[in-house]
Amino acid sequence: MYEAKLTGQMTATRIRNLFSGSGSFVNAEPESWDVLIVDEAHRLNEKSGLYRNLGDHQAKEIIAAAKCVIFFVDDDQRVTLQDIGRRAALQDWAATLGARVTTAALASQFRCEGSDGYLAWLDDTLQVRPTANESLDTSEFDFRVFDSPAALHAAIIERNRVANKARVVAGYCWKWVSKKKPDQFDIVMPELGYWRRWNLDRDGSLWIIAAESVEEVGCIHTCQGLELDVVGVIVGPDLVVRNGQVVTRPELRASSDQSLKGWKKLMKVDPGGMRAQADQIVKNTYRTLMTRGMKGCWVYCTDPETAAWFRSRLVSRDVEEVAPQPEARPSNVIPLKVVAPDPATRWREALPVVELQFAAGAFGGSGEFDLDAATWVEPPDWVRPKEGLFIAQVTGASMNRRIPDGAWCLFRANPQGTRQGKVVVAQHRSISDPELGGSYTVKVYSSEKVVDEDTGWRHSIVTLSPDSDDPRFGPIEIRPESEGEVVIVAEFLGVVG
């Protein structure tokens, strides 16, 4: 990421010479560098090269290559069996090579609002080590536990609009299906209306700042050493709490994860030692993920007892009770600047305000809608106007975990590509939405498909699910025997006001 920030300020060759991987010193001449700074030194490997078959030992080679080497190391961030850069190991190699060692501890840190209390609470909660911090005041560090992964991800997307510094990460408990099948999802929880893809090789070290990556999920391999304002963490089934004890289950890591590669074979040789290592790596993984946020960490746990464990260790400051207020009615005032753009260039600077029941007609579908007579508004700074985008108001509580009642939202008309897991505006003859009225609705889309001899495949059922904290709302199921086809009029992109 630092390389990307320096681009344009100095030559590419000079930038490359400032940053090297830990395996770059296999054939280095002794003391050919004045100073080498090794960040994340706990992630050093024994061997170098693509197949880990080059050199002798990375720690040995780095120490020998420079007159002075500075290692930044944290044993609690060892997250794979291949990580060999523990502090004791580095000291042993320095002694072997006759190097003088000076050890220093960071007196303070800026991670997690500089809250040593949060770090101590996390160590105690994950049972990495016992501390006196058994409870966390959420007014000092923003830690939240969500009831669904969809709600967590929606909240992170909303938070990301502030400064593009919020992302979702997860324990590596889901296979990387999209690597070979890009149209498929990796992290799939259909019963909770959640489908997302890993971001494992698309953006590399730029994952944390890539504009579209907020829609995807990062993991320990793409976010270690990076910081956000707020991190959303999905805690998978590899870490659960049973009767107040944190239990790790490394066997539930995805088979495509290499961090524990070979652990089952090593269990036969040293079951006690290997179990302790695996336990440490799983806990360290979540400790690292949960410390990526400078201002907050929001989590969803796939296991309910684990979610309850985190909640039980949170406290909030007492606040003065406020008398209940009458329920606010949605405002019909558009929270964006109304403009009168030139019809020839309007899509470059403005977007139309469209009532959802007319959205299809507005963009070439059935029905009539006059864009020339529509209200046009100046979009927020984070939206680049283009044809097909529009603003509409959504009323009702059936999607209130993502869309507040009365919110003004950004939509894309006639969306292409997969709709699975997306929030859409759908039309169908059998729909009778009690909130919006008529044959259209705003819901989370999912479908099941079967093979069809004529077309290759067809929908066996389409489900339009609410995302609400009100249990009265249920899914709308559209089966093949229903008349007509489901028309996806638009895709929800975000709340603008």
Side-chain angles (χ1 to χ4, degrees):
M1 187 170 69
Y2 287 112
E3 288 187 59
K5 289 183 178 294
L6 289 173
T7 300
Q9 300 182 40
M10 58 180 70
T11 65
T13 300
R14 187 179 179 190
I15 292 173
R16 284 195 298 271
N17 286 337
L18 289 174
F19 300 93
S20 297
S22 58
S24 303
F25 305 94
V26 174
N27 298 313
E29 292 294 326
E31 299 189 358
S32 53
W33 296 79
D34 289 330
V35 179
L36 287 176
I37 300 175
V38 186
D39 195 16
E40 307 289 332
H42 40 269
R43 297 303 314 276
L44 292 174
N45 293 322
E46 182 175 354
K47 302 287 186 177
S48 302
L50 180 62
Y51 301 103
R52 294 176 181 164
N53 61 345
L54 301 178
D56 195 5
H57 194 286
Q58 286 186 352
K60 171 187 175 183
E61 292 152 6
I62 291 170
I63 293 171
K67 298 174 183 176
C68 175
V69 181
I70 301 171
F71 290 105
F72 287 96
V73 60
D74 181 354
D75 287 354
D76 291 330
Q77 292 195 53
R78 183 198 181 208
V79 295
T80 81
L81 289 178
Q82 290 77 39
D83 294 349
I84 52 82
R86 292 185 291 274
R87 184 172 61 180
L90 298 176
Q91 290 175 326
D92 288 344
W93 274 112
T96 299
L97 297 172
R100 181 167 58 89
V101 177
T102 299
T103 302
L106 292 177
S108 63
Q109 50 85 33
F110 296 100
R111 181 170 293 156
C112 305
E113 290 276 44
S115 175
D116 292 329
Y118 170 67
L119 298 179
W121 173 84
L122 190 59
D123 283 343
D124 196 79
T125 299
L126 294 175
Q127 295 176 358
V128 172
R129 64 178 59 81
T131 73
N133 297 64
E134 296 183 354
S135 60
L136 174 70
D137 186 337
T138 56
S139 66
E140 296 179 0
F141 185 77
D142 185 6
F143 191 95
R144 310 181 194 179
V145 182
F146 283 70
D147 291 325
S148 80
L152 168 65
H153 211 127
I156 288 293
I157 290 173
E158 183 66 23
R159 181 64 174 76
N160 187 60
R161 295 195 180 100
V162 175
N164 188 34
K165 291 184 179 180
R167 293 294 184 276
V168 176
V169 298
Y172 205 161
C173 298
W174 292 268
K175 292 183 179 180
W176 188 11
V177 178
S178 63
K179 180 178 183 179
K180 295 182 178 179
K181 299 178 180 179
D183 62 330
Q184 299 292 307
F185 289 93
D186 304 306
I187 303 173
V188 178
M189 301 181 219
E191 70 282 2
L192 298 172
Y194 191 73
W195 296 265
R196 295 286 172 169
R197 294 185 180 90
W198 287 118
N199 186 306
L200 286 170
D201 65 352
R202 177 179 167 186
D203 299 306
S205 61
L206 299 180
W207 166 82
I208 207 163
I209 58 174
E212 299 299 323
S213 66
V214 70
E215 299 289 342
E216 300 169 323
V217 177
C219 72
I220 191 63
H221 305 305
T222 55
C223 74
Q224 191 165 22
L226 304 175
E227 266 81 34
L228 298 153
D229 279 352
V230 177
V231 63
V233 181
I234 298 175
V235 180
D238 59 337
L239 184 142
V240 298
V241 175
R242 294 292 179 263
N243 299 316
Q245 294 298 310
V246 177
V247 180
T248 60
R249 302 190 291 189
E251 67 277 7
L252 295 184
R253 284 283 184 93
S255 58
S256 50
D257 179 29
Q258 298 294 303
S259 60
L260 287 167
K261 185 178 181 180
W263 80 279
K264 291 182 179 179
K265 183 182 293 185
L266 293 172
M267 280 285 290
K268 298 176 181 178
V269 179
D270 180 14
M274 190 63 250
R275 171 55 70 176
Q277 285 196 62
D279 183 75
Q280 180 191 45
I281 286 170
V282 173
K283 289 181 179 179
N284 283 356
T285 296
Y286 285 108
R287 183 186 189 276
T288 303
L289 294 178
M290 291 182 180
T291 54
R292 296 307 91 195
M294 295 283 286
K295 299 178 180 179
C297 174
W298 304 346
V299 304
Y300 165 74
C301 302
T302 57
D303 175 67
E305 188 174 341
T306 306
W309 168 253
F310 280 106
R311 284 194 178 100
S312 72
R313 297 172 66 83
L314 300 176
V315 294
S316 299
R317 289 179 181 171
D318 293 334
V319 295
E320 183 180 349
E321 288 193 15
V322 179
Q325 300 296 316
E327 184 176 353
R329 297 180 62 85
S331 171
N332 290 321
V333 178
I334 304 171
L336 299 170
K337 181 181 179 181
V338 177
V339 295
D342 184 331
T345 60
R346 60 192 178 190
W347 289 107
R348 299 178 190 172
E349 57 192 35
L351 295 175
V353 178
V354 179
E355 291 188 38
L356 289 178
Q357 61 264 44
F358 298 123
F363 297 93
S366 59
E368 296 182 0
F369 188 88
D370 185 3
L371 278 177
D372 292 328
T375 298
W376 289 75
V377 297
E378 187 178 283
D381 294 340
W382 55 272
V383 177
R384 179 179 297 177
K386 63 179 178 180
E387 193 165 356
L389 298 183
F390 67 94
I391 305 295
Q393 187 176 33
V394 178
T395 58
S398 66
M399 291 295 296
N400 65 10
R401 283 179 171 161
R402 305 192 194 199
I403 307 175
D405 185 10
W408 292 87
C409 303
L410 177 68
F411 291 88
R412 179 192 293 120
N414 306 316
Q416 305 299 311
T418 181
R419 300 156 182 168
Q420 197 83 328
K422 293 182 178 179
V423 177
V424 300
V425 181
Q427 279 186 312
H428 191 274
R429 295 179 187 177
S430 67
I431 293 174
S432 180
D433 192 296
E435 293 186 308
L436 302 179
S439 61
Y440 73 100
T441 189
V442 179
K443 294 289 184 291
V444 180
Y445 179 100
S446 64
S447 68
E448 297 177 12
K449 299 175 182 178
V450 295
V451 177
D452 185 281
E453 293 181 358
D454 298 325
T455 63
W457 59 269
R458 61 178 174 82
H459 293 296
S460 61
I461 184 172
V462 171
T463 303
L464 302 171
S465 303
D467 189 6
S468 174
D469 55 18
D470 188 333
R472 293 176 298 171
F473 296 103
I476 299 171
E477 293 185 347
I478 301 173
R479 298 182 180 275
E481 58 266 24
S482 299
E483 293 185 4
E485 291 291 328
V486 180
V487 177
I488 303 303
V489 176
E491 174 189 348
F492 165 76
L493 299 180
V495 174
V496 297

